[in-house]
């Protein structure tokens, strides 16, 4: 690729550079100074902070990679047909994740709704337009969920008009299956809260000819989870795009069986008269999501893990240096599987309610966010920190704890 120096050298052959290029051409060649970008956070008085808490939606998820930002900016300068973008990107995503097909959605929640919509309607346009009104349409109307998995995200499923049927045992599952059963839904982050494991869930569904869907929104890393559940036999797999993969926070991925993905797309933009019309993802987000996924799959995950551990060690050592403070390092098995610190202290030695500590860190400069727990406990993760921020977190945490030593 020609660099800026060579470009200027070649253009110098033209005697009237400004006249040949015009103002826009000169800007494109990089010869006109760019206007500094506006700092809207500062301009509007929006607090920015060091994120030592994790990839929470309330904290705007994660920060996109530079390659993702460049993709979004570049895509914003050209028109494309939305369906073609989804098809081409879907083919690439499917290949990376061992799926038959895939589509970029407006987050994981949207993937749940659209995936079930595809299961209910198939390729019948009249059924697509009827959702969420199921009565008299011939569509099935029940989704079976383990009781321990029904923690709120299932609202995405009831958006289609379906009713949730809770079960706990294999016997209850087998009894609950009937002619109205549309889907068996599994929530991976709660898999330890149910009596039926992934493989049993899939096997029972297949035996009864019922599709399965798994929600694994926050369940990468490990990277292998991106294809593990497709390989296991789940018919639809849903994941968030703006967490570990650091794609657009407003994007997610629905992947699985091609006939179900094709059907789900009938309820997606650009089509109207559908329950998914408002779940819009434009070309910039779709392309950005693909670049983020591709980078995530190909990155050195051992190197990344070591970096997170080193950052955690810096914070751990600072906190432990305060008398009465205990620190435990662990990695959650389900969801946000990264090196995590659980910090606690003896209230007789450190007089500092965790909520007060949280507020002090939040009100400091720079502002820092952590996750408070109960009984003088907090958790800190390091995977959303920028280089060097672990030192700031370590220093501020030690300062606040030290001030409260009795």
């Amino acid at each position: 690729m020609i660099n800026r120096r060579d470009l200027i050298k070649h253009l110098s052959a033209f005697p009237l550079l400004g006249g040949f290029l015009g103002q826009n051409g000169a800007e494109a060649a990089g010869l006109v100074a760019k206007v500094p970008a506006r700092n809207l956070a500062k301009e509007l008085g929006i607090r920015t902070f060091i994120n030592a808490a994790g990839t929470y939606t309330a904290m705007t998820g994660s920060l996109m990679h530079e390659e993702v930002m460049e993709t979004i900016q570049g895509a914003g300068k050209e028109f494309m047909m939305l369906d073609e973008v989804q098809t081409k990107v879907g083919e690439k995503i499917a290949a990376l994740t061992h799926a038959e097909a895939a589509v970029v959605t407006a987050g994981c929640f949207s993937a749940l709704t659209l995936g079930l919509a595809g299961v209910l309607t198939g390729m019948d346009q009249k059924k697509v337009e009827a959702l969420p009104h199921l009565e008299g349409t011939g569509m099935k109307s029940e989704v079976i969920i383990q009781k321990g998995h029904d923690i709120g995200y299932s609202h995405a499923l009831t958006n289609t008009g379906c009713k949730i049927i809770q079960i706990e045992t294999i016997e209850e599952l087998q009894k609950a299956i009937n002619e109205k059963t549309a889907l068996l839904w599994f929530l991976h982050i709660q898999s330890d809260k149910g009596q039926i494991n992934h493989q049993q869930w899939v096997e029972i569904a297949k035996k009864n000819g019922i599709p399965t869907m798994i929600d694994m929104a926050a369940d990468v890393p490990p990277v292998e989870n991106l294809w593990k559940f497709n390989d296991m036999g789940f018919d639809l797999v849903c994941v968030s795009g703006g967490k570990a993969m650091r794609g657009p926070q407003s994007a997610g991925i629905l992947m699985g069986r091609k006939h179900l993905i094709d059907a789900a797309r009938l309820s997606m933009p650009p089509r109207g008269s559908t329950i998914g019309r408002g779940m819009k993802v434009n070309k910039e987000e779709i392309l950005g999501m693909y670049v983020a996924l591709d980078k995530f799959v190909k990155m050195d995950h051992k190197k990344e893990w070591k970096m997170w551990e080193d950052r955690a060690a810096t914070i751990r050592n600072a906190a432990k240096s305060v008398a009465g403070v205990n620190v435990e390092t662990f990695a959650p098995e389900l969801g946000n599987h990264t090196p995590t610190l659980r910090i606690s202290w003896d209230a007789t030695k450190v007089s500092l309610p965790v909520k007060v500590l949280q507020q002090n860190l939040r009100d400091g400069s720079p502002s820092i966010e952590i996750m408070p727990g109960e009984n003088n406990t907090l958790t800190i993760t390091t995977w959303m920190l920028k280089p060097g921020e672990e030192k700031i977190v370590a220093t501020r945490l030690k300062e606040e704890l030290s001030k409260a030593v009795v």
Side-chain angles (χ1 to χ4, degrees):
M1 181 180 291
I2 191 168
N3 60 37
R4 184 179 176 187
R5 181 181 297 174
D6 290 336
L7 177 63
I8 294 174
K9 179 180 178 182
H10 286 298
L11 291 176
S12 65
F14 295 96
L16 299 174
L17 180 60
F20 177 79
L21 288 175
Q23 184 176 353
N24 291 338
E27 289 175 354
L31 303 178
V32 177
K34 293 183 178 179
V35 177
R38 293 169 65 181
N39 186 336
L40 286 173
K42 184 176 182 180
E43 185 178 319
L44 300 175
I46 300 171
R47 179 176 64 96
T48 60
F49 54 86
I50 292 174
N51 184 357
T55 57
Y56 295 95
T57 297
M59 298 180 186
T60 59
S62 59
L63 299 180
M64 289 182 280
H65 288 291
E66 283 298 319
E67 296 95 318
V68 177
M69 293 294 296
E70 290 169 1
T71 298
I72 289 172
Q73 291 172 347
K77 298 176 182 178
E78 301 288 350
F79 286 102
M80 305 174 197
M81 296 303 291
L82 187 60
D83 272 334
E84 184 178 1
V85 178
Q86 284 282 28
T87 297
K88 297 295 186 181
V89 166
E91 290 171 354
K92 293 292 187 179
I93 291 176
L96 287 169
T97 59
H98 305 185
E100 291 180 8
V103 68
V104 177
T105 60
C108 186
F109 197 88
S110 168
L112 302 181
T113 300
L114 295 168
L116 178 52
V119 169
L120 295 171
T121 68
M123 301 301 289
D124 189 325
Q125 186 60 35
K126 288 185 178 181
K127 290 181 178 179
V128 170
E129 295 179 10
L131 292 179
H133 307 292
L134 302 177
E135 189 174 347
T137 63
M139 286 186 275
K140 297 182 179 182
S141 59
E142 295 180 355
V143 176
I144 300 177
I145 300 176
Q146 295 187 68
K147 185 177 181 179
H149 293 199
D150 196 5
I151 61 172
Y153 298 112
S154 57
H155 197 98
L157 306 172
T158 58
N159 282 347
T160 65
C162 279
K163 177 183 178 182
I164 300 298
I165 306 298
Q166 291 186 353
I167 58 91
E168 292 189 83
T169 66
I170 288 179
E171 291 74 21
E172 288 177 358
L173 171 57
Q174 292 170 333
K175 288 180 180 178
I177 293 173
N178 60 60
E179 68 280 357
K180 295 180 181 179
T181 306
L183 182 75
L184 268 61
W185 185 74
F186 197 98
L187 181 57
H188 180 65
I189 200 169
Q190 293 288 110
S191 56
D192 61 340
K193 305 299 183 185
Q195 298 182 32
I196 309 171
N197 65 33
H198 302 73
Q199 198 62 61
Q200 291 171 320
W201 197 253
V202 170
E203 289 173 359
I204 292 171
K206 287 188 181 302
K207 187 179 296 184
N208 289 274
I210 299 169
T212 50
M213 175 191 287
I214 186 167
D215 175 348
M216 50 163 284
D219 300 313
V220 288
V223 64
E224 293 82 7
N225 277 359
L226 285 169
W227 50 84
K228 174 181 178 179
F229 303 114
N230 287 315
D231 291 345
M232 190 179 291
F234 277 92
D235 297 292
L236 290 169
V237 178
C238 308
V239 65
S240 294
K243 298 186 187 297
M245 288 185 278
R246 293 177 60 182
Q249 167 65 3
S250 52
I253 298 172
L254 172 66
M255 48 190 163
R257 307 297 181 196
K258 187 177 186 306
H259 72 282
L260 294 177
I261 300 298
D262 288 346
R265 288 182 61 176
L266 294 183
S267 288
M268 294 182 67
R271 284 152 285 277
S273 300
T274 69
I275 61 170
R277 172 64 183 183
M279 303 174 187
K280 187 179 292 184
V281 277
N282 204 23
K283 62 184 186 299
E284 295 85 2
E285 295 165 296
I286 298 168
L287 293 167
M289 187 66 254
Y290 165 58
V291 170
L293 172 66
D294 187 55
K295 179 178 177 65
F296 184 72
V297 169
K298 295 175 181 176
M299 73 191 311
D300 187 337
H301 290 277
K302 289 184 179 179
K303 181 179 179 181
E304 195 83 354
W305 191 275
K306 179 64 165 57
M307 178 183 69
W308 296 336
E309 284 185 326
D310 290 345
R311 290 175 177 176
T314 298
I315 300 170
R316 179 183 66 242
N317 293 337
K320 284 178 64 177
S321 69
V322 179
V325 175
N326 298 307
V327 184
E328 174 192 359
T329 304
F330 68 103
E333 285 300 316
L334 299 169
N336 303 306
H337 181 70
T338 60
T340 303
L341 299 175
R342 182 181 290 116
I343 302 172
S344 60
W345 52 94
D346 185 342
T348 64
K349 297 180 179 179
V350 180
S351 181
L352 182 62
V354 68
K355 287 291 186 180
V356 174
L357 173 58
Q358 179 190 29
Q359 194 63 47
N360 290 347
L361 293 174
R362 179 177 288 165
D363 292 342
S365 181
S367 179
I368 299 171
E369 288 290 342
I370 51 91
M371 285 303 294
E374 298 178 352
N375 302 320
N376 295 330
T377 302
L378 63 88
T379 57
I380 285 177
T381 64
T382 62
W383 60 325
M384 289 297 112
L385 298 179
K386 299 175 186 176
E389 288 184 338
E390 71 278 6
K391 297 177 183 177
I392 299 173
V393 174
T395 299
R396 288 288 295 117
L397 183 62
K398 182 178 178 180
E399 286 176 353
E400 293 299 329
L401 291 169
S402 297
K403 286 190 298 184
V405 172
V406 178

